[in-house]
Amino acid sequence: MKWLDRITEQSTRAIARRSSRRSVLSGIGTLLVGAAALPLLPVARGAEGPGHAQPAGGRAADPGDPAACDYWRHCAIDGFLCSCCGGTQSTCPPGTEMSAITWIGTCHNPGDGKDYVISYNDCCGKTGCGRCFCNRNEGDTPLYQPGRSNDYNWCSGSSHANIPYHCSTARIVGAAE
Amino acid sequence: MKWLDRITEQSTRAIARRSSRRSVLSGIGTLLVGAAALPLLPVARGAEGPGHAQPAGGRAADPGDPAACDYWRHCAIDGFLCSCCGGTQSTCPPGTEMSAITWIGTCHNPGDGKDYVISYNDCCGKTGCGRCFCNRNEGDTPLYQPGRSNDYNWCSGSSHANIPYHCSTARIVGAAE
Amino acid sequence: MKAGMPARGLGRRVRPGVGPAVLLAAVAVCAAVPARAVLPAETGATKTVETLASPAPRHWVWVNDVVFPHMADGTAHLVDGDSGRYLGMLSTGASFSHVVPSRDGKLIYSPEIYFSRGTRGTRTDVVTIYDAATLKPVTEVPVPPKRASSLPALGVAGLTDDDRFLMIYNFTPAQSVSVVDTASRQFVGEIETPGCAFALPTGPRSFFAMCADASFLAVELDDSGRAVRQSRTEPMFDGTRDPVYERPVRVADTYYFLSFDGKVHPIRHSAAGFTAVDPWSLASAAERAQGWRPGGVQQIAVHAGSHRLYVLMHRGGRESHKDPGRAIWVYDLGTRRRVQQIALLHPLTSIALSTDDQPLLFGLVAESNVLDVYAPGSGKLLRSIKDVGTTPLLLVTP
Amino acid sequence: MKAGMPARGLGRRVRPGVGPAVLLAAVAVCAAVPARAVLPAETGATKTVETLASPAPRHWVWVNDVVFPHMADGTAHLVDGDSGRYLGMLSTGASFSHVVPSRDGKLIYSPEIYFSRGTRGTRTDVVTIYDAATLKPVTEVPVPPKRASSLPALGVAGLTDDDRFLMIYNFTPAQSVSVVDTASRQFVGEIETPGCAFALPTGPRSFFAMCADASFLAVELDDSGRAVRQSRTEPMFDGTRDPVYERPVRVADTYYFLSFDGKVHPIRHSAAGFTAVDPWSLASAAERAQGWRPGGVQQIAVHAGSHRLYVLMHRGGRESHKDPGRAIWVYDLGTRRRVQQIALLHPLTSIALSTDDQPLLFGLVAESNVLDVYAPGSGKLLRSIKDVGTTPLLLVTP
């Protein structure tokens, strides 16, 4: 039962912890900016703060099948697609937790001709989904350059999602500069 | 570290425990004899006592490939063949433990034309071997008739092998009556 | 279509360097989307995790997976039979058998085994209680580390008819049943069932176990979940010459057992005890001579509303009792007549029906991780859902 | 053979009811085995479990498997490259990277992660120490629950050159290295390596980490395993335009790094620090124009005795840096000349060579669990060993 207490405790403490985690991240971020000229948000973040997002628009603006490996947002993904696992391209399957930190990619949206920064937040806390494995590596960096490396299990950070990998989302951070 | 102590402790205590385990088994055995007219040793036993066995003879007396599902001793087996997993038809792979209790089958040896009682001792303590899966069901009984049921994980008995299933051997108990 | 072909051929010739990706982009841009449109950020969205309808719609099914090559990491997968959509899953520990949904659909009971070092170390057995809407653990109830580890069977764990007590079959190889009180969420105690397996409910405070000599051990519980009466029947079938499978189906006061040789043994229970109704054969003498017999893991299924029994059938010898079915034969439980034969596109090891009035028939394809969904009325394969687990063996319909 | 056929055909006609099993029995009985022969009982045999040669022969190989669909249940498999025989395995916990055999061949160090409930609950990280002859755990050393969980890489865990200290790379995402004393079998401490990954040994008391800006962080240890000096180099390669893979190979005082675009960067270490030797290209300008580049997971291998470098090559674009190799190109490390091209029957993701004078070349076949064994001299595929793990990715030769 201890582990249940622990999960609850960690969830309620998560907000309090974020400031310190952010400073860790900005430490990495500085290095990454020097190394690979990443945008200002080098390690993209998952659930936090009040929602300001709307649905990602219609099919024409966001074309393709989120359950297919060739969906435009998947250009740097490595893992099981959450859209095949009970989630969507931007939400986790029931009972999993979204990792607060993650890797990013820059993908071209054929719907509006623009490039977007995509955050591949992992969903965590159950064994691997096992469906729709997809590995694409546009802009993927080696493990010693973490911010754009799709080879880490981003569930394994020190956040409350310090738990096994289930699947990966592909969430829009914003248009690339 | 506790579990390491526990395994060692259990190994050294195993002999002391056997008498009580035997009475549990003979309780089941009685039922089985009534139900299915099994031989006197209804639940065959693994490692115990000083060895009185020799190698199982040459190819002619014991024909076939112990790594093949159609090997004669496998007539009632269900699992991964230990011969493919670093063991043999009568020994467990390195680092596993042989279950002390098991299910049995009666198989016809084409090498000498005799029927033998075969004890399918499971090897335990590592994850499934994953090689040479073989399921044959001659004389296999339902789970409520355990002595000849190949559907139990015989690693899960209360012996020191109360641990996960790795592979199955096919050891000669003796000629069938 | 033919008229368009020359033009397409021409198009290919005049744009030799243009790959599919570029063409797709061109089509999309032409499809009246202004180039200045920018998709909104999603990283600030408050909804990050899906939840499910609860209670589950009747056309959902739990696909239980023992994960034979990695048995430490069992799973249960929830699939919508109507859409084929995979809805989510549970990680359910070592040597998993199956989940037990509560009748109100709000909770899922899952008997789970864990080792402190994955495949070694200290064994811990728990019943994890999940919220059916969130698929998150609500709590866990520790139970003795004795649960039977076997090929999955529904008799390994089940609820009394009022959902008050969860019973778990132990095999060490000493046999017993652990009882968990679902109200207090505590382990109540262990009931010895020497020589007898499983815990099959017969009422709010009673269950029975199947004994090796083909008799039943009937157990009555009090309101605290302790055994107050045990009695042993005579053999209910011929356990030596033609034993029944350990996976019966139930309609109200009758369990239907199926024998290896294809006989249906209805056994009625009441306060007075068990009554074996005359058994009957699935196959005619001619069909038996052709080798038709039942087979598989979850060999039979029932639809209580229409009073129909579904049986996986194939042709083979006595030792083929676990072979997958090539057809489903359907019987009216009242008339005992075969009313339908469903040809199977893929051989199935396990079948189950949804419990509503417009049922779906679910089947697990042999040696695969594919779930087939049939319309039982027409016998038509509606859809095949791929990649559901690793070695799924047991279906549970809520 | 043809002469025998009519007789066999006749034989079949005159014994229509005799199946293959019976015929086999008849043949065997005729083969001079007296019918009264009875095979001895084996159930009393004292030997019930196999043991292995220790130290391991040089032609054995550890196949490390992260088991991607069931990552809680990682494994390492030991295979004899000469016979193709599968010798045994270890269960190695969640998000496994690889085993680290001791240089004397007597022990195997395995950094392992466990959760109290399989895929949830309390995380425990240990280094399990196995006896190489019995493959049983000797002891385990608890370490902070921080080990990097990633696609396997040899830099995640390694021994100093005298085997005294085992180093483990942590990523939480704060980066550090845990040090375990193999003499006392205790965790010594954690060394912060901010912005830098892995622990690659350079001597008995030193290692370095690779930093995101392509510099190295050099760390010196004292005899208790604590960091006594740390220094940071200038960037050792162009980390932005052509980063090197994170899986270098080492010969004595030189690490050979391979860049995404196919340049070899030899980097020499000494007491004075690191020296980047001039990089050189695997492929000619013409070959690069054809798209030839390295790829895979364990993309390069080295045979120190013959001073040869082996590289998995394929044709593709920049983003194909993880694609499997279709050929192995072999280089003399002294002359930097390509001396051999090995055509691959099956595409490979990972390669390694045995360390003896008559080496074997091992390769993991892409999207499979097949281990291929090549003779590096002739480039001939000697054997393919099937069913080695689930998703094996990393080879370790003792």
Side-chain angles (χ1 to χ4, degrees), chain B residues 1-3 6-7 21 24-25 28 31-32 34-37 78-80 101 125-130 133 135-146 149-154 156-159 162-165, chain C residues 68-72 95 115-123 145 147-151 153 169 171-175 194-198 210-214 232 237 239-240 243-247 260 319 321-323:
Chain B
M1 293 286 298
K2 260 199 177 135
W3 64 269
R6 195 170 149 267
I7 286 175
R21 202 161 61 232
V24 170
L25 297 182
I28 292 185
L31 291 177
L32 289 173
D78 186 5
F80 303 117
I101 53 161
K126 295 176 186 288
T127 196
C129 156
F133 176 72
N135 181 207
R136 289 169 59 192
N137 294 301
E138 289 178 29
D140 167 67
T141 52
L143 285 165
Y144 58 87
Q145 296 175 337
S149 173
N150 66 20
D151 283 348
Y152 279 102
N153 167 13
W154 287 92
S156 69
S158 61
S159 76
N162 184 7
I163 34 183
Y165 170 81
Chain C
F68 195 55
H70 293 285
M71 232 168 11
S95 196
F115 291 86
S116 57
R117 294 297 177 266
T119 57
R120 55 181 194 263
T122 306
R123 172 175 168 174
R147 199 195 74 206
S149 173
S150 68
L151 197 72
Y169 166 50
F171 180 81
T172 69
Q175 294 166 295
C196 308
F198 308 129
M210 300 175 71
C211 308
D213 65 352
R232 186 93 173 240
F237 50 87
T240 307
V244 301
Y245 286 106
E246 59 276 77
R247 293 171 183 84
F260 283 15
E319 69 289 351
H321 58 278
K322 289 177 189 164
D323 285 12

Side-chain angles (χ1 to χ4, degrees), chain A residues 3 6 25 28 31 35 80 101 125 127 133 137 140 142-145 150-153 156-158 162 164-165, chain D residues 68 115 117 119-121 123 149-151 169 171-173 195 198 210-212 237 239-240 244 246 260 319 321-322:
Chain A
W3 63 271
R6 195 171 150 267
L25 296 182
I28 292 185
L31 291 177
F80 303 117
I101 53 160
T127 194
F133 176 72
N137 295 301
D140 166 66
L143 286 165
Y144 58 86
Q145 297 176 337
N150 66 22
D151 283 349
Y152 279 102
N153 167 12
S156 70
S158 61
N162 185 6
Y165 169 81
Chain D
F68 195 55
F115 291 87
R117 296 296 178 266
T119 56
R120 54 180 193 262
R123 172 174 169 175
S149 172
S150 69
L151 197 71
Y169 166 49
F171 180 81
T172 69
F198 307 130
M210 300 176 71
C211 308
F237 50 87
T240 306
V244 301
E246 59 276 78
F260 283 15
E319 68 290 350
H321 59 279
K322 289 177 189 163

Side-chain angles (χ1 to χ4, degrees), chain C residues 71-105:
Chain C
M71 232 168 11
D73 193 36
T75 53
H77 306 265
L78 187 61
V79 178
D80 178 357
D82 284 329
S83 65
R85 184 167 158 77
Y86 180 100
L87 298 163
M89 57 85 73
L90 300 172
S91 275
T92 51
S95 196
F96 177 61
S97 180
H98 63 285
V99 292
V100 183
S102 69
R103 282 175 173 78
D104 69 5

